[in-house]
């Protein structure tokens, strides 16, 4: 049985549109389905080619940019004494930058005797005092990592084309050798009777949007280097489905499920599952403290970045701040506890990192909705018992709230699974099935055309030799 904490982490990752893990899961299903479909229509040669194409591309697509960025951190930033963990977006607003320096100094003072916690203030100061150079390095790292990933895919494409051509050539000449032996045997037996047969900012800092750039190049290369119409149209179908269900459909499906759950069942499930599973949220819901934290939040309709940034750093015990940290919206400083140990979360805001204030405000609004819907749930439960809300005992209210929160958590988990499950079903089953059906229904399109083209060239070479 999965523990609640690990389950919440799983659901949170699956529902995160900026995480590479759900992308990898969907792409694995897609690659397995396409490889199986290629075996059905083209047997071993086509399925081997498809396997190298799909899983080799997946490795480069998922890991290329993050791996090259890590290498470039060491090559470009470390020799110049810069901390690559400083996010240049904190320099967009000078007031926020000054606050980041201020709170970072407080953090460094708090952890000055802990050698396992990175000193942050001086790293921010150095990057900010040389902001032009630091921003140039950051942009250069993004461009270089993207270019190196694209070049890696180009290398894979060249390797794949050479691999399949050499494999088909080897099999072709092996068949020729077997035919020669058979011909010799038949000649000795029947006087030579023979037969011969053959067959930019968001893109810079979002891992998923980084991949969209690489994917655009991959799609272009796949279409541009297709060897025949069969391969070209297969890629048209594959890439069309892939782009829609990898990058766009998941969020739309998730949003539809969330809206449906709220409207039909009164269950707000759009909060990160790690926040929903937290003891802090449960306690605040049971003791009616959620609204206290919401009233404490900056009260204007659209608080400024400075107001939210100060609030985040100066009121760490506020539930909105705690849930934003749980959700990963506010990054916290990690204590390095050893080479092979998981870093320990200090709970202190990492002022090197960018904080999207709209996302923090979103957490506040989600908490408010959760509280309001929980009170509506109590009202309905009281009506079922033929009682007014005021007549329900505190103990019964607590049980009702616990039951309500459990409903929300389960619905949240189901929504994440339904969203990614729908995309997996399309990419791993439906789309490969469409390609297989298209191939099987067209009698002139059933074989592996690349293999046939290469074998025809080899036959012509043999005939003219």
């Amino acid at each position: 049985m999965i523990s609640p904490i690990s389950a919440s982490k799983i659901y949170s990752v699956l529902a995160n549109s900026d995480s590479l893990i759900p992308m990898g899961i969907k792409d694995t299903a897609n690659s397995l389905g396409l490889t199986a479909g290629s075996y059905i229509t083209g047997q071993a040669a086509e399925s081997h080619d498809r396997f190298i194409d799909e899983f080799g591309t997946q490795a480069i697509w998922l890991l290329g940019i993050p791996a090259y960025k890590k290498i470039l951190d060491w090559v470009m930033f470390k020799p110049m004494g810069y901390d690559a963990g400083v996010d240049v977006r904190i320099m967009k607003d000078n007031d926020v930058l000054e606050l980041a320096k201020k709170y970072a100094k407080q953090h460094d003072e708090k952890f000055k005797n802990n050698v396992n916690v990175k000193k942050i203030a001086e790293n921010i100061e150095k990057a900010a005092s040389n902001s032009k150079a630091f921003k140039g390095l950051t942009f250069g790292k993004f461009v270089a990592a993207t270019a190196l990933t694209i070049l890696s895919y180009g290398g894979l494409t060249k390797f794949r084309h050479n691999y399949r051509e050499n494999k088909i050539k080897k099999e072709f000449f092996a068949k020729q050798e077997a035919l020669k032996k058979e011909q010799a045997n038949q000649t000795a037996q029947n006087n030579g009777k023979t037969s011969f047969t053959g067959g930019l900012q968001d893109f810079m800092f979002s891992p998923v949007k980084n991949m969209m750039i690489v994917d655009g190049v991959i799609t272009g290369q796949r279409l541009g280097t297709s060897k025949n119409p069969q391969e070209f149209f297969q890629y048209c179908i594959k890439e069309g489905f892939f782009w829609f269900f990898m990058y766009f459909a998941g969020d739309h499906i998730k949003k539809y499920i969330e809206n449906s759950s709220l409207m039909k069942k009164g269950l707000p499930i759009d909060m990160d599952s790690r926040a929903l599973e937290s003891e802090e949220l449960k306690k605040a819901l049971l003791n009616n403290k959620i609204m206290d934290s919401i009233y404490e939040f900056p009260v204007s309709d659209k608080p400024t970045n400075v107001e939210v940034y100060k609030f985040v750093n100066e009121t760490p015990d506020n539930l909105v701040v705690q849930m934003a940290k749980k959700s990963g919206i506010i990054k916290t400083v990690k204590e390095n506890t050893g080479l092979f140990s998981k870093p320990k979360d200090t709970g202190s805001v990492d002022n090197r990192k960018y904080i999207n204030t709209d996302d923090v405000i979103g957490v506040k609004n989600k908490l408010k909705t959760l509280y309001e819907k929980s009170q509506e749930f109590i009202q309905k439960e009281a009506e079922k018992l033929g009682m007014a809300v005021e007549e329900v005992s505190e103990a019964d209210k607590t049980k009702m709230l616990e039951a309500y929160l459990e409903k929300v958590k389960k619905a949240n988990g189901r929504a994440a699974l339904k969203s990614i499950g729908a995309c997996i079903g399309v990419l791993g089953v439906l789309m490969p099935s469409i390609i297989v059906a298209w191939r099987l229904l067209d009698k002139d399109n059933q074989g592996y055309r690349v293999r046939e083209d290469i074998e025809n060239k080899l036959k012509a070479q043999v005939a003219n030799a």
Side-chain angles (χ1 to χ4, degrees):
M1 182 178 175
I2 302 175
S3 69
I5 295 176
S6 60
S8 67
K9 175 68 175 175
I10 291 169
Y11 295 141
S12 172
V13 169
L14 292 180
N16 185 356
S17 61
D18 211 28
S19 170
L20 300 186
I21 293 176
M23 308 289 284
I25 293 171
K26 288 186 279 189
D27 194 44
T28 298
N30 178 230
S31 299
L32 288 171
L34 287 168
T35 302
S38 295
Y39 185 81
I40 292 169
T41 53
Q43 298 302 307
E46 185 175 356
S47 63
H48 288 169
D49 179 48
R50 178 64 62 193
F51 182 88
I52 294 171
D53 185 18
E54 295 301 331
F55 286 98
T57 300
Q58 184 184 72
I60 293 169
W61 176 66
L62 281 171
L63 305 176
I65 289 181
Y68 284 125
K69 278 185 174 180
K70 280 291 182 186
I71 294 169
L72 292 169
D73 284 346
W74 283 88
V75 173
M76 295 170 64
F77 286 78
K78 198 170 181 64
M80 299 184 69
Y82 288 122
D83 179 359
V86 177
D87 192 320
V88 297
R89 289 175 293 182
I90 68 172
M91 302 176 197
K92 290 196 304 181
D93 186 323
N94 285 330
D95 292 332
V96 170
L97 177 60
E98 291 306 313
L99 288 173
K101 293 178 184 178
K102 169 186 170 183
Y103 296 122
K105 287 176 182 176
Q106 293 176 6
H107 163 268
D108 286 357
E109 181 64 27
K110 179 180 178 181
F111 292 99
K112 64 181 179 181
N113 297 321
N114 191 333
V115 296
N116 295 319
V117 177
K118 185 185 287 288
K119 299 297 181 283
I120 290 176
E122 60 189 59
N123 293 334
I124 294 176
E125 184 62 48
K126 180 165 185 176
S129 61
N130 301 281
S131 62
K132 188 174 181 180
F134 188 79
K135 288 175 181 178
L137 275 177
T138 301
F139 181 72
K141 178 176 76 170
F142 163 70
V143 172
T146 304
L148 287 167
T149 302
I150 290 168
L151 288 172
S152 298
Y153 177 72
L156 173 70
T157 301
K158 187 174 181 180
F159 166 78
R160 181 171 67 88
H161 287 173
N162 289 336
Y163 172 84
R164 72 183 179 187
E165 186 164 344
N166 290 334
K167 186 175 179 62
I168 290 170
K169 281 182 178 179
K170 184 178 178 181
E171 292 175 356
F172 175 83
F173 286 117
K175 286 180 183 178
Q176 294 298 304
E177 202 60 40
L179 283 170
K180 285 179 182 179
K181 290 180 180 179
E182 184 180 344
Q183 179 182 356
N185 291 335
Q186 289 180 348
T187 300
Q189 295 173 12
N190 56 25
N191 298 321
K193 185 178 179 182
T194 63
S195 63
F196 191 85
T197 58
L200 222 0
Q201 177 177 280
D202 285 344
F203 284 89
M204 284 178 63
F205 295 100
S206 166
V208 171
K209 289 181 180 177
N210 281 180
M211 288 162 60
M212 288 179 76
I213 297 173
V214 177
D215 236 338
V217 175
I218 289 173
T219 298
Q221 280 198 19
R222 281 176 164 171
L223 295 174
T225 59
S226 297
K227 297 298 185 183
N228 50 58
Q230 181 192 76
E231 192 170 38
F232 179 81
F233 285 115
Q234 277 193 184
Y235 276 134
C236 284
I237 296 170
K238 179 230 186 296
E239 296 298 315
F241 271 93
F242 182 89
W243 271 84
F244 183 71
F245 284 93
M246 185 63 72
Y247 292 114
F248 307 111
D251 280 347
H252 289 295
I253 294 169
K254 180 171 170 285
K255 184 59 66 177
Y256 171 79
I257 295 171
E258 288 171 351
N259 289 338
S260 177
S261 177
L262 182 63
M263 299 302 294
K264 295 179 180 179
K265 300 177 182 178
L267 300 176
I269 58 173
D270 55 350
M271 191 176 294
D272 190 289
S273 60
R274 292 169 294 181
L276 287 174
E277 292 284 358
S278 67
E279 283 299 313
E280 293 88 346
L281 177 61
K282 182 177 179 180
K283 288 177 182 176
L285 186 65
L286 296 181
N287 60 23
N288 286 322
K289 295 294 184 182
I290 287 182
M291 294 309 294
D292 291 348
S293 290
I294 290 172
Y295 293 141
E296 195 177 9
F297 199 83
V299 295
S300 60
D301 291 337
K302 183 63 171 103
T304 65
N305 291 337
V306 169
E307 287 176 320
V308 175
Y309 198 89
K310 288 179 70 174
F311 180 78
V312 161
N313 281 273
E314 295 179 0
T315 54
D317 294 331
N318 183 278
L319 189 66
V320 176
V321 177
Q322 289 180 328
M323 294 304 101
K325 288 179 180 178
K326 292 279 185 186
S327 302
I329 294 167
I330 299 172
K331 306 298 182 186
T332 52
V333 179
K334 305 297 189 291
E335 178 182 355
N336 188 7
T337 54
L339 184 61
F340 299 106
S341 302
K342 184 179 179 181
K344 181 182 176 183
D345 192 345
T346 66
S348 179
V349 176
D350 188 343
N351 297 109
R352 298 173 303 165
K353 306 301 183 184
Y354 175 69
I355 298 174
N356 188 319
T357 53
D358 287 337
D359 289 345
V360 178
I361 295 169
V363 171
K364 182 204 75 168
N365 294 334
K366 290 171 185 177
L367 286 171
K368 185 172 184 290
T369 301
L370 178 67
Y371 176 77
E372 290 171 349
K373 292 299 179 182
S374 71
Q375 298 307 302
E376 290 178 12
F377 179 80
I378 292 177
Q379 176 78 38
K380 290 177 181 177
E381 291 299 300
E383 290 174 359
K384 289 179 184 177
L385 298 172
M387 302 168 64
V389 173
E390 296 78 15
E391 297 174 320
V392 179
S393 68
E394 290 303 315
D396 286 339
K397 282 184 182 178
T398 298
K399 289 179 182 178
M400 291 175 183
L401 287 171
E402 287 177 337
Y404 177 75
L405 186 57
E406 203 59 36
K407 284 175 179 284
V408 172
K409 289 191 289 188
K410 287 180 179 178
N412 173 273
R414 287 195 299 269
L417 294 176
K418 285 178 182 177
S419 176
I420 195 167
C423 293
I424 287 173
V426 171
L427 292 174
V429 179
L430 178 62
M431 185 260 284
S433 298
I434 290 173
I435 293 175
V436 170
W438 166 61
R439 292 273 296 274
L440 294 178
L441 289 172
D442 183 355
K443 63 183 178 62
D444 296 325
N445 197 29
Q446 291 177 1
Y448 182 25
R449 193 62 57 80
V450 171
R451 181 186 193 118
E452 293 170 4
D453 291 345
I454 293 173
E455 286 183 345
N456 288 335
K457 289 178 183 177
L458 293 172
K459 286 176 186 177
Q461 290 173 13
V462 170
N464 295 326

mmCIF file of all heavy atoms in Angstrom, residues 385-406:
data_model
loop_
_atom_site.group_PDB
_atom_site.id
_atom_site.type_symbol
_atom_site.label_atom_id
_atom_site.label_comp_id
_atom_site.label_asym_id
_atom_site.label_seq_id
_atom_site.Cartn_x
_atom_site.Cartn_y
_atom_site.Cartn_z
ATOM 1 N N LEU A 385 -29.533 15.310 8.420
ATOM 2 C CA LEU A 385 -29.867 14.869 9.777
ATOM 3 C C LEU A 385 -31.073 15.620 10.354
ATOM 4 O O LEU A 385 -31.485 15.365 11.491
ATOM 5 C CB LEU A 385 -28.661 15.073 10.710
ATOM 6 C CG LEU A 385 -27.389 14.273 10.360
ATOM 7 C CD1 LEU A 385 -26.227 14.726 11.231
ATOM 8 C CD2 LEU A 385 -27.635 12.775 10.536
ATOM 9 N N GLY A 386 -31.618 16.554 9.557
ATOM 10 C CA GLY A 386 -32.758 17.342 10.020
ATOM 11 C C GLY A 386 -32.381 18.335 11.089
ATOM 12 O O GLY A 386 -33.195 18.652 11.969
ATOM 13 N N MET A 387 -31.144 18.858 11.017
ATOM 14 C CA MET A 387 -30.650 19.772 12.048
ATOM 15 C C MET A 387 -30.159 21.064 11.406
ATOM 16 O O MET A 387 -29.848 21.107 10.218
ATOM 17 C CB MET A 387 -29.477 19.121 12.813
ATOM 18 C CG MET A 387 -29.809 17.795 13.472
ATOM 19 S SD MET A 387 -28.315 16.925 14.060
ATOM 20 C CE MET A 387 -27.727 18.071 15.310
ATOM 21 N N ALA A 388 -30.110 22.118 12.215
ATOM 22 C CA ALA A 388 -29.445 23.348 11.798
ATOM 23 C C ALA A 388 -27.951 23.178 12.067
ATOM 24 O O ALA A 388 -27.554 22.385 12.924
ATOM 25 C CB ALA A 388 -29.984 24.541 12.578
ATOM 26 N N VAL A 389 -27.128 23.923 11.349
ATOM 27 C CA VAL A 389 -25.673 23.794 11.518
ATOM 28 C C VAL A 389 -25.279 24.072 12.961
ATOM 29 O O VAL A 389 -24.401 23.406 13.523
ATOM 30 C CB VAL A 389 -24.934 24.771 10.572
ATOM 31 C CG1 VAL A 389 -23.438 24.775 10.862
ATOM 32 C CG2 VAL A 389 -25.193 24.412 9.129
ATOM 33 N N GLU A 390 -25.957 25.047 13.572
ATOM 34 C CA GLU A 390 -25.629 25.420 14.956
ATOM 35 C C GLU A 390 -25.892 24.281 15.935
ATOM 36 O O GLU A 390 -25.314 24.237 17.032
ATOM 37 C CB GLU A 390 -26.441 26.648 15.386
ATOM 38 C CG GLU A 390 -26.136 27.922 14.605
ATOM 39 C CD GLU A 390 -26.796 27.929 13.226
ATOM 40 O OE1 GLU A 390 -27.713 27.096 12.988
ATOM 41 O OE2 GLU A 390 -26.382 28.741 12.374
ATOM 42 N N GLU A 391 -26.752 23.364 15.548
ATOM 43 C CA GLU A 391 -27.104 22.253 16.444
ATOM 44 C C GLU A 391 -26.118 21.079 16.347
ATOM 45 O O GLU A 391 -26.131 20.185 17.193
ATOM 46 C CB GLU A 391 -28.510 21.743 16.109
ATOM 47 C CG GLU A 391 -29.603 22.778 16.332
ATOM 48 C CD GLU A 391 -30.961 22.295 15.847
ATOM 49 O OE1 GLU A 391 -31.019 21.648 14.772
ATOM 50 O OE2 GLU A 391 -31.958 22.558 16.553
ATOM 51 N N VAL A 392 -25.283 21.082 15.310
ATOM 52 C CA VAL A 392 -24.314 19.996 15.138
ATOM 53 C C VAL A 392 -23.172 20.183 16.124
ATOM 54 O O VAL A 392 -22.606 21.268 16.246
ATOM 55 C CB VAL A 392 -23.764 19.969 13.690
ATOM 56 C CG1 VAL A 392 -22.745 18.848 13.529
ATOM 57 C CG2 VAL A 392 -24.912 19.805 12.701
ATOM 58 N N SER A 393 -22.820 19.138 16.838
ATOM 59 C CA SER A 393 -21.745 19.226 17.825
ATOM 60 C C SER A 393 -20.399 19.420 17.133
ATOM 61 O O SER A 393 -20.225 19.082 15.957
ATOM 62 C CB SER A 393 -21.688 17.954 18.667
ATOM 63 O OG SER A 393 -21.280 16.844 17.881
ATOM 64 N N GLU A 394 -19.435 19.953 17.890
ATOM 65 C CA GLU A 394 -18.103 20.172 17.329
ATOM 66 C C GLU A 394 -17.456 18.858 16.917
ATOM 67 O O GLU A 394 -16.740 18.788 15.913
ATOM 68 C CB GLU A 394 -17.220 20.907 18.347
ATOM 69 C CG GLU A 394 -17.612 22.364 18.578
ATOM 70 C CD GLU A 394 -17.609 23.182 17.294
ATOM 71 O OE1 GLU A 394 -16.645 23.048 16.510
ATOM 72 O OE2 GLU A 394 -18.572 23.941 17.064
ATOM 73 N N ALA A 395 -17.713 17.826 17.697
ATOM 74 C CA ALA A 395 -17.142 16.513 17.370
ATOM 75 C C ALA A 395 -17.688 16.001 16.039
ATOM 76 O O ALA A 395 -16.945 15.470 15.206
ATOM 77 C CB ALA A 395 -17.452 15.515 18.481
ATOM 78 N N ASP A 396 -18.991 16.194 15.804
ATOM 79 C CA ASP A 396 -19.598 15.756 14.539
ATOM 80 C C ASP A 396 -19.121 16.613 13.370
ATOM 81 O O ASP A 396 -18.919 16.115 12.255
ATOM 82 C CB ASP A 396 -21.120 15.801 14.635
ATOM 83 C CG ASP A 396 -21.678 14.661 15.482
ATOM 84 O OD1 ASP A 396 -20.962 13.650 15.646
ATOM 85 O OD2 ASP A 396 -22.821 14.785 15.972
ATOM 86 N N LYS A 397 -18.948 17.910 13.628
ATOM 87 C CA LYS A 397 -18.422 18.785 12.578
ATOM 88 C C LYS A 397 -17.015 18.349 12.163
ATOM 89 O O LYS A 397 -16.666 18.345 10.971
ATOM 90 C CB LYS A 397 -18.381 20.235 13.059
ATOM 91 C CG LYS A 397 -19.726 20.939 13.048
ATOM 92 C CD LYS A 397 -19.561 22.395 13.453
ATOM 93 C CE LYS A 397 -20.911 23.108 13.487
ATOM 94 N NZ LYS A 397 -20.774 24.522 13.917
ATOM 95 N N THR A 398 -16.222 17.983 13.149
ATOM 96 C CA THR A 398 -14.865 17.515 12.868
ATOM 97 C C THR A 398 -14.890 16.272 11.989
ATOM 98 O O THR A 398 -14.141 16.154 11.015
ATOM 99 C CB THR A 398 -14.109 17.217 14.180
ATOM 100 O OG1 THR A 398 -13.987 18.420 14.937
ATOM 101 C CG2 THR A 398 -12.719 16.652 13.895
ATOM 102 N N LYS A 399 -15.784 15.333 12.314
ATOM 103 C CA LYS A 399 -15.915 14.106 11.510
ATOM 104 C C LYS A 399 -16.361 14.432 10.082
ATOM 105 O O LYS A 399 -15.874 13.843 9.110
ATOM 106 C CB LYS A 399 -16.909 13.152 12.167
ATOM 107 C CG LYS A 399 -16.411 12.512 13.455
ATOM 108 C CD LYS A 399 -17.475 11.600 14.046
ATOM 109 C CE LYS A 399 -17.000 10.983 15.357
ATOM 110 N NZ LYS A 399 -18.042 10.130 15.972
ATOM 111 N N MET A 400 -17.304 15.374 9.981
ATOM 112 C CA MET A 400 -17.781 15.774 8.653
ATOM 113 C C MET A 400 -16.661 16.399 7.826
ATOM 114 O O MET A 400 -16.503 16.103 6.634
ATOM 115 C CB MET A 400 -18.939 16.774 8.789
ATOM 116 C CG MET A 400 -20.212 16.177 9.346
ATOM 117 S SD MET A 400 -21.465 17.465 9.617
ATOM 118 C CE MET A 400 -22.799 16.513 10.363
ATOM 119 N N LEU A 401 -15.863 17.271 8.459
ATOM 120 C CA LEU A 401 -14.768 17.920 7.750
ATOM 121 C C LEU A 401 -13.698 16.912 7.337
ATOM 122 O O LEU A 401 -13.126 17.002 6.247
ATOM 123 C CB LEU A 401 -14.146 19.016 8.620
ATOM 124 C CG LEU A 401 -14.984 20.297 8.782
ATOM 125 C CD1 LEU A 401 -14.369 21.209 9.829
ATOM 126 C CD2 LEU A 401 -15.098 21.029 7.449
ATOM 127 N N GLU A 402 -13.412 15.952 8.206
ATOM 128 C CA GLU A 402 -12.439 14.912 7.866
ATOM 129 C C GLU A 402 -12.924 14.094 6.672
ATOM 130 O O GLU A 402 -12.140 13.769 5.764
ATOM 131 C CB GLU A 402 -12.184 13.999 9.070
ATOM 132 C CG GLU A 402 -11.361 14.657 10.173
ATOM 133 C CD GLU A 402 -11.187 13.754 11.387
ATOM 134 O OE1 GLU A 402 -12.024 12.839 11.561
ATOM 135 O OE2 GLU A 402 -10.218 13.959 12.143
ATOM 136 N N ALA A 403 -14.213 13.770 6.681
ATOM 137 C CA ALA A 403 -14.793 13.001 5.566
ATOM 138 C C ALA A 403 -14.737 13.816 4.274
ATOM 139 O O ALA A 403 -14.436 13.287 3.192
ATOM 140 C CB ALA A 403 -16.234 12.619 5.888
ATOM 141 N N TYR A 404 -15.007 15.138 4.393
ATOM 142 C CA TYR A 404 -14.989 16.006 3.217
ATOM 143 C C TYR A 404 -13.575 16.100 2.641
ATOM 144 O O TYR A 404 -13.380 15.968 1.416
ATOM 145 C CB TYR A 404 -15.492 17.398 3.589
ATOM 146 C CG TYR A 404 -15.441 18.374 2.438
ATOM 147 C CD1 TYR A 404 -16.378 18.309 1.405
ATOM 148 C CD2 TYR A 404 -14.449 19.346 2.371
ATOM 149 C CE1 TYR A 404 -16.326 19.190 0.338
ATOM 150 C CE2 TYR A 404 -14.399 20.239 1.310
ATOM 151 C CZ TYR A 404 -15.338 20.156 0.290
ATOM 152 O OH TYR A 404 -15.277 21.022 -0.760
ATOM 153 N N LEU A 405 -12.581 16.316 3.513
ATOM 154 C CA LEU A 405 -11.200 16.437 3.050
ATOM 155 C C LEU A 405 -10.741 15.144 2.387
ATOM 156 O O LEU A 405 -10.006 15.172 1.388
ATOM 157 C CB LEU A 405 -10.283 16.782 4.227
ATOM 158 C CG LEU A 405 -8.818 17.081 3.887
ATOM 159 C CD1 LEU A 405 -8.707 18.231 2.887
ATOM 160 C CD2 LEU A 405 -8.024 17.409 5.157
ATOM 161 N N GLU A 406 -11.193 14.020 2.911
ATOM 162 C CA GLU A 406 -10.841 12.723 2.321
ATOM 163 C C GLU A 406 -11.423 12.596 0.911
ATOM 164 O O GLU A 406 -10.765 12.085 -0.008
ATOM 165 C CB GLU A 406 -11.356 11.592 3.214
ATOM 166 C CG GLU A 406 -10.634 10.270 3.045
ATOM 167 C CD GLU A 406 -9.146 10.351 3.336
ATOM 168 O OE1 GLU A 406 -8.734 11.108 4.244
ATOM 169 O OE2 GLU A 406 -8.395 9.668 2.615
#
